[in-house]
Amino acid sequence: MTTIKPINTTKSPKAIGHYSQAIIVGNLIFTSGQISIEPETGLMRDGSIEEQTERVIKNLKAILESAGSSLEKVVKVNVYLSDINDFDRMNKVYSEFFISKPARATIQAGKLPRNAKIEMDVIAVI
């Protein structure tokens, strides 16, 4: 029987709805979408797409590490942008963190929670 284990860490923002920060199934971790919320304050980090992208990735990194994984073990990334014209600037920051080049999809999603410019979720190996 497959065990499903929810992950929640104080090093990443609390869920703003009825969901877990991530779920472990077997040797995979599936994160929920992360936006640019500061874990210490619970407040949105407004700013440029570069600043929001960095905060989102740091939030994901904290969740992965709390589950025994890392950014280097990410196999799939979904990126949701409120404006696809931010792609190149987002990608520049993204490439500084995701050295292993996981599979990725990037879409313009319209309006994101709390008017975020970016949301990301990942799947990684533990």
Side-chain angles (χ1 to χ4, degrees):
M1 182 173 184
T2 302
T3 303
I4 298 172
K5 179 183 174 188
I7 296 296
N8 290 294
T9 176
T10 58
K11 294 180 180 180
S12 191
K14 293 180 190 176
I16 58 176
H18 186 71
Y19 57 89
S20 299
Q21 292 171 328
I23 297 290
I24 295 175
V25 179
N27 69 335
L28 295 176
I29 179 169
F30 299 80
T31 70
S32 292
Q34 292 295 305
I35 58 175
S36 183
I37 295 177
E38 297 285 350
E40 299 83 11
T41 65
L43 299 174
M44 218 15 225
R45 179 179 184 181
D46 292 325
S48 68
I49 187 64
E50 292 90 349
E51 292 169 315
Q52 286 197 23
T53 300
E54 182 176 347
R55 177 73 265 162
V56 166
I57 295 171
K58 286 181 177 179
N59 290 345
L60 289 166
K61 181 177 186 247
I63 293 168
L64 292 170
E65 288 175 352
S66 74
S69 190
S70 66
L71 291 176
E72 292 77 21
K73 294 181 180 179
V74 170
V75 295
K76 177 71 165 98
V77 181
N78 292 309
V79 180
Y80 312 94
L81 296 171
S82 63
D83 184 349
I84 199 68
N85 293 311
D86 288 336
F87 179 86
D88 290 337
R89 293 179 11 213
M90 172 281 298
N91 197 54
K92 183 175 182 193
V93 176
Y94 174 97
S95 66
E96 294 170 10
F97 288 90
F98 288 100
I99 308 302
S100 62
K101 296 185 180 180
R104 181 178 83 186
T106 304
I107 65 164
Q108 179 171 311
K111 190 170 182 177
L112 295 170
R114 297 195 181 175
N115 293 315
K117 293 179 180 175
I118 184 169
E119 182 171 352
M120 272 189 215
D121 65 79
V122 302
I123 301 170
V125 177
I126 296 176

